[in-house]
Amino acid sequence: MKELKKAASPINVKGPVLTIVMDGVGLAPEGDGNAVKRAYTPTLDGLMKKYPMVKLKAHGKAVGLPTDDDMGNSEVGHNALGSGQVFAQGALLVSNSIASGKLFASAAWQEEVNNVKKSDGTLHFLGLFSDGNVHSHIDHLKALITHAKADGVHRVRVHILLDGRDVGETSALDYVRPFEEFMAGLCDDGFDIKIASGGGRMKITMDRYEANWPMVELGWKTHVLGEGRQFANAEEAITVYREETHAIDQDLPPFVIAEDGKPVGTIEDGDSVIFYNFRGDRSIEISKAFEAGDDFDKFDRVRVPKVAYAGMLEYDGDLHIPSRYLVSPPEITNTMGEYLAGTGVAQYAISETQKFGHVTYFWNGNRSGKFSEELETYVEVPSDVVPFEQRPWMKCAEITDKLIDAMRSGKYPSMRVNFPNGDMVGHTGSLEATICSMEALDLQIARLLKVVDELEGVALITADHGNADEMYEVDKKTGAPKQNKDGSYKAKTSHTLNPVPFIIYDNFYSDKYTVKEDKGTFGLSDVAATAVNLLGYEAPDMWDESIIELK
């Protein structure tokens, strides 16, 4: 096991060093749509005024994404927080693999293509249908389809999961209409391609952490069995559902495209299926449904077609899900969790279901399980299965209850917690609910900091990316909120490009170190070195710099 070296002049923090991740809480100017600023948050406001704070980059190249126009997300954010390093992430890995041709030369791609050529079957593509670049990118899908045709595939069906979360909340037709033109341009020489099914990403298929298996079951019925309300095309389905439900894209019901009353793209024996999302958390369950044997018990699959199934990446490296994948995921090594376990430092990680995997799996470099059963304690508080805007406080009070008990136990020098409120409620587009979520979070931070002082510990308060800080779509030219036809502001449900705060709450040891000048270069990957310095250790050489300097 890897061990940390003791610092020459260790700080010797008596209590725990607690890292608090306020998921989705970025720093932005005051404005009508800034739920962080509009909320009554006396604790957070006081922290920013009275304690050392720097801004951390949480998007783009600072977290391993292709460009600085790419929004950060919880997966890459927690990878950086937990590893102390920046690794090329899914979007960049896939783009590079496509550009170099390595993806199409892979054994997995050849198996997918050859399977349908041999059986005269259909190649199905299933995934999130946008250019949000958080879970997928539509350009990746187009490249795969184009190459499939060049490789001799004759029939393709596309199953689209509508976004409205990492992109505009009602932007689905901005992707569907150009894609229909793209498909029409390919339909020659006997090549047959159609959209076969779809639905909102928060309604079907893309559940995570096994919070709501009925979502996956509904997706299975839609994509595989072709069961559901039928429409002539995707545009008709989206238009009709919007008129009937007034839902945003992520919440639209499932639909099946049919001709003469028959679904155009059920998944059958001899077909191949590629789940083209590159991010793992919302890809694992549908992959299990396709690959599991007769012992699968999450729902009745009715029939399980014999297909060649592949993911864009390997979504779980320890459990090897899926068994076939097109691009190898980043190999994230030398994480903080591994070093602390090797040094004998006990760790405690807690969140509710929606973000539990982020303080465990993603924090540990996309690794399932623990480095040490003896030294690590992971606690999951079950999330409510309700729309988050209806219960915006989520489980923050219950998380705090359990965390305070663990702090007072004295067992854990290193502790971490994720409060999902700002992100999960922010994604709903409800400004009022997101303001409420921030106020609920502020109350719990106040509770925690009292115990930090009681135990003579230190708290590091930060976030993984922005979201709640911009709840309205903004015109890039004017800076003004965009408006709907009725004059109301257009809700924003995606992450932001804003930096996030990093606050050092320390009432006991600040004379033993200095906080480095904020020159706008700090990122999420600098948090790990800061935490181990406070724990009394030197950071490993491969980690990015600490935000503090020991005296």
Side-chain angles (χ1 to χ4, degrees):
M1 292 286 281
K2 296 164 183 173
E3 297 184 20
L4 296 167
K5 295 180 181 179
K6 271 284 187 183
S9 301
I11 296 175
N12 294 322
V13 175
K14 181 179 178 181
V17 175
L18 170 65
T19 301
I20 301 173
V21 181
M22 306 180 296
D23 210 296
V25 178
L27 294 170
E30 291 190 21
D32 290 341
N34 189 338
V36 179
K37 292 287 188 180
R38 290 189 60 178
Y40 177 67
T41 53
T43 303
L44 189 56
D45 294 344
L47 287 169
M48 291 185 178
K49 290 177 182 177
K50 298 176 185 177
Y51 292 86
M53 186 186 87
V54 300
K55 296 179 180 179
L56 303 182
K57 292 181 177 180
H59 75 285
K61 295 179 180 179
V63 288
L65 298 173
T67 75
D68 284 334
D69 292 328
D70 294 317
M71 296 176 295
N73 60 68
S74 299
E75 175 190 24
V76 300
H78 284 79
N79 280 166
L81 286 166
S83 71
Q85 305 156 79
V86 178
F87 291 84
Q89 292 290 342
L92 182 57
L93 289 171
V94 174
S95 295
N96 289 345
S97 187
I98 289 173
S100 68
K102 186 176 180 180
L103 185 154
F104 305 113
S106 69
W109 174 261
Q110 295 298 323
E111 288 166 2
E112 293 292 297
V113 168
N114 291 336
N115 178 63
V116 295
K117 289 169 68 175
K118 180 180 179 180
S119 66
D120 192 28
T122 301
L123 176 56
H124 298 264
F125 292 97
L126 168 59
L128 188 62
F129 195 68
S130 79
D131 59 1
N133 219 32
V134 174
H135 291 266
S136 68
H137 199 295
I138 198 168
D139 287 351
H140 296 162
L141 171 62
K142 290 179 178 178
L144 298 182
I145 292 170
T146 301
H147 212 284
K149 178 183 178 181
D151 280 351
V153 173
H154 296 300
R155 189 166 50 255
V156 167
R157 293 294 181 264
V158 186
H159 306 265
I160 62 175
L161 301 172
L162 307 179
D163 195 342
R165 192 175 176 92
D166 299 324
V167 294
E169 63 175 358
T170 55
S171 60
L173 294 180
D174 295 337
Y175 300 102
V176 168
R177 287 165 179 159
F179 193 78
E180 291 282 2
E181 295 179 5
F182 164 77
M183 292 192 298
L186 292 175
C187 285
D188 56 16
D189 302 326
F191 186 70
D192 175 17
I193 179 172
K194 293 181 176 72
I195 292 176
S197 70
R201 59 179 283 182
M202 295 305 288
K203 282 291 185 182
I204 64 172
T205 311
M206 280 179 59
D207 182 45
R208 67 177 174 193
Y209 309 143
E210 303 195 8
N212 189 6
W213 270 102
M215 277 179 61
V216 186
E217 179 179 13
L218 190 54
W220 182 271
K221 291 178 177 178
T222 304
H223 313 309
V224 178
L225 307 180
E227 295 180 359
R229 187 171 174 181
Q230 297 183 348
F231 295 88
N233 53 62
E235 181 168 354
E236 179 188 58
I238 294 164
T239 303
V240 170
Y241 276 150
R242 282 181 180 168
E243 292 174 351
E244 292 180 354
T245 67
H246 305 291
I248 59 177
D249 294 343
Q250 61 179 324
D251 295 322
L252 289 176
F255 57 86
V256 173
I257 307 305
E259 295 176 356
D260 300 324
K262 294 183 179 181
V264 301
T266 56
I267 299 176
E268 306 292 339
D269 289 348
D271 289 351
S272 292
V273 178
I274 294 175
F275 195 74
Y276 63 84
N277 284 16
F278 47 73
R279 176 165 157 172
D281 56 349
R282 293 190 183 274
S283 306
I284 290 174
E285 288 169 60
I286 188 65
S287 297
K288 286 182 176 179
F290 272 105
E291 292 199 328
D294 293 339
D295 58 346
F296 182 81
D297 60 359
K298 302 303 181 181
F299 59 86
D300 182 3
R301 292 175 290 180
V302 183
R303 64 177 179 85
V304 183
K306 296 178 181 179
V307 300
Y309 179 85
M312 183 67 89
L313 272 76
E314 184 180 34
Y315 303 127
D316 189 318
D318 290 324
L319 299 178
H320 301 299
I321 300 171
S323 59
R324 183 186 291 109
Y325 49 92
L326 304 181
V327 180
S328 295
E331 184 180 354
I332 298 177
T333 56
N334 300 306
T335 64
M336 179 163 59
E338 182 179 8
Y339 268 99
L340 290 175
T343 310
V345 178
Q347 304 169 65
Y348 182 93
I350 185 171
S351 186
E352 61 178 277
T353 305
Q354 287 295 330
K355 297 290 180 175
F356 175 69
H358 291 76
V359 290
T360 54
Y361 174 81
F362 290 123
W363 190 278
N364 290 332
N366 303 341
R367 183 184 190 277
S368 297
K370 301 173 182 176
F371 295 103
S372 168
E373 289 292 336
E374 179 183 354
L375 292 170
E376 292 175 89
T377 299
Y378 297 165
V379 176
E380 176 184 358
V381 177
S383 290
D384 293 317
V385 185
V386 298
F388 300 115
E389 70 273 19
Q390 295 180 14
R391 206 166 293 173
W393 46 88
M394 300 182 68
K395 292 291 188 176
C396 64
E398 291 94 323
I399 291 170
T400 303
D401 291 343
K402 293 181 180 297
L403 181 53
I404 286 175
D405 287 344
M407 292 167 69
R408 286 180 171 150
S409 75
K411 296 179 181 178
Y412 307 102
S414 178
M415 308 183 81
R416 57 188 184 264
V417 58
N418 180 297
F419 289 106
N421 306 57
D423 187 48
M424 301 309 298
V425 184
H427 276 311
T428 69
S430 171
L431 174 65
E432 294 77 12
T434 307
I435 290 172
C436 180
S437 79
M438 288 301 306
E439 293 176 349
L441 172 59
D442 196 71
L443 290 170
Q444 304 314 313
I445 292 175
R447 291 179 61 202
L448 287 173
L449 296 184
K450 288 181 181 179
V451 182
V452 169
D453 285 341
E454 171 191 318
L455 301 173
E456 297 184 24
V458 176
L460 305 177
I461 302 147
T462 189
D464 52 349
H465 55 75
N467 187 336
D469 41 299
E470 285 182 15
M471 295 299 296
Y472 293 145
E473 294 282 354
V474 176
D475 187 303
K476 292 183 179 179
K477 293 183 180 179
T478 66
K482 294 181 180 179
Q483 293 184 332
N484 296 308
K485 292 180 181 179
D486 62 2
S488 62
Y489 291 146
K490 189 173 181 62
K492 180 175 182 176
T493 55
S494 62
H495 296 169
T496 73
L497 298 175
N498 295 321
V500 300
F502 179 77
I503 303 163
I504 302 177
Y505 180 81
D506 175 5
N507 291 324
F508 302 96
Y509 314 98
S510 57
D511 60 328
K512 296 186 177 182
Y513 59 87
T514 57
V515 178
K516 296 177 182 176
E517 181 183 355
D518 186 356
K519 297 181 179 179
T521 58
F522 290 128
L524 295 177
S525 57
D526 296 318
V527 172
T530 310
V532 298
N533 283 171
L534 288 165
L535 286 165
Y537 300 96
E538 294 181 2
D541 292 338
M542 81 287 296
W543 287 10
D544 289 338
E545 67 172 311
S546 174
I547 296 167
I548 64 173
E549 189 165 355
L550 302 180
K551 291 183 178 179

